[in-house]
Amino acid sequence: MDDETYEELVQSVTPRETVGGVKTYQNTVAMACPACEEPFDDLVVCEDEYNSLELSKMLDLCVTTHEGDVLLFTHKP
């Protein structure tokens, strides 16, 4: 993902939480996922080399990267 697309994405979603090297954002504007082009629910940005993700419910995930950070786009079934 290029810098311009990443900046547009992060500026369009609503920040929710930052814990350690993980930032979460909520998609309150029905922005399309860059991987599947369907609206996504949340964006999770993993900035550290190692992170764990504990899910309380089943989600479909799309994944991409930006400058070494992993970007997870969640989709509720």
Side-chain angles (χ1 to χ4, degrees), residues 45-57:
V45 178
C46 302
E47 297 174 332
D48 291 340
E49 184 176 357
Y50 297 102
N51 289 298
S52 65
L53 181 62
E54 296 179 24
L55 301 175
S56 60
K57 55 189 159 199

Side-chain angles (χ1 to χ4, degrees), residues 1 4-14 25-43 62 71-75:
M1 174 177 291
E4 184 178 324
T5 303
Y6 178 78
E7 289 302 321
E8 179 183 333
L9 174 67
V10 172
Q11 291 175 5
S12 298
V13 292
T14 304
Y25 302 86
Q26 184 177 5
N27 185 7
T28 56
V29 295
M31 179 174 262
C33 172
C36 69
E37 300 189 11
E38 294 292 323
F40 62 94
D41 295 301
D42 297 293
L43 167 61
C62 291
L71 282 63
L72 303 171
F73 297 86
T74 67
H75 301 273

